[in-house]
Amino acid sequence: TGTPPNIENLYGLLHESLQRTGAELLDEIKAAKLRGRGGAGFPTAFKWESAGNAPGEKKYIVCNADEGDPGAYIDRYLMEEQPHLVLFGMIIAGYIAGANEGILYIRAEYPESIVSVKEAIEQTADQGYSGDTVCGSNFSFHFKVVVGAGAYICGEETALLRSLEGQRPEVSVRPPYPTTEGLFGKPTIVNNVE
């Protein structure tokens, strides 16, 4: 468990994707009409494009893995059984938006997920799929895992970002939106695990 059976194909797709521009990949996301699975069904391409167009050298990709709804285990399943799919999505989002750091905010009640994701991160780094010069390109992407304290409010993206900053997790008034002023005031994409 922990890795999809076609991991070589998955990261082969990453290598192919890095031969294209972020704009070309974004066009594919738009054509697919991909939507976020965090509850609002927000158009993924709009969020990624907004962060990509935001000025700034430093940008972040945050994976909201603070699944707090009772009886909901899809995030846990994906992190424990197919963590490379989650990491792949974050890397692609980073490439499209111009971000070089991905943070996975995982609830403490999912210790197996934390272990599985950390192992997958090590595997991607060992194989050159993350870190400096991803797949031999000039794109770099580094992962970090943060264990959440189990606050239900952190399922909301702005509260999650405040928690990552070491602040009290409270919902922030918008605008500004995280894609322009998110984590530490930098453009940030927050997507759910799924």
Side-chain angles (χ1 to χ4, degrees):
T1 64
T3 56
N6 59 352
I7 189 170
E8 292 81 16
N9 291 341
L10 180 67
Y11 288 113
L13 178 59
L14 175 63
H15 189 272
E16 290 174 22
S17 297
L18 295 177
Q19 307 304 311
R20 302 172 64 193
T21 67
E24 290 172 330
L25 296 176
L26 186 64
D27 285 343
E28 286 198 27
I29 300 292
K30 286 178 182 178
K33 297 184 173 139
L34 184 65
R35 293 185 170 271
R37 300 296 298 218
F42 196 80
T44 302
F46 183 84
K47 186 183 283 191
W48 291 9
E49 185 172 39
S50 177
N53 290 337
E57 292 287 319
K58 184 68 176 175
K59 298 179 183 183
Y60 296 96
I61 305 299
V62 175
C63 178
N64 183 349
D66 191 57
E67 185 174 50
D69 294 327
Y73 296 107
I74 187 66
D75 292 356
R76 183 177 182 181
Y77 169 79
L78 289 171
M79 288 185 290
E80 293 175 16
E81 299 299 326
Q82 305 219 358
H84 287 280
L85 292 177
V86 178
L87 301 181
F88 174 82
M90 293 178 72
I91 295 167
I92 292 293
Y95 181 65
I96 289 173
N100 62 6
E101 187 171 346
I103 301 168
L104 294 103
Y105 187 95
I106 304 174
R107 65 184 294 119
E109 292 85 356
Y110 288 175
E112 295 89 356
S113 296
I114 295 164
V115 170
S116 181
V117 167
K118 285 183 175 180
E119 287 175 356
I121 289 170
E122 287 180 21
Q123 291 168 359
T124 63
D126 290 347
Q127 296 296 317
Y129 304 133
S130 69
D132 295 327
T133 63
V134 175
C135 294
S137 71
N138 61 359
F139 171 64
S140 297
F141 196 82
H142 299 268
F143 286 104
K144 177 180 180 182
V145 172
V146 174
V147 179
Y152 182 80
I153 191 69
C154 287
E156 196 280 333
E157 66 181 2
T158 60
L160 181 144
L161 294 175
R162 299 300 76 82
S163 178
L164 283 171
E165 293 171 344
Q167 300 179 40
R168 183 176 177 174
E170 295 178 338
V171 176
S172 299
V173 177
R174 294 175 249 188
Y177 294 95
T179 54
T180 55
E181 290 183 38
L183 187 61
F184 302 114
K186 306 298 183 189
T188 304
I189 293 172
V190 181
N191 279 127
N192 178 271
V193 171
E194 190 178 1

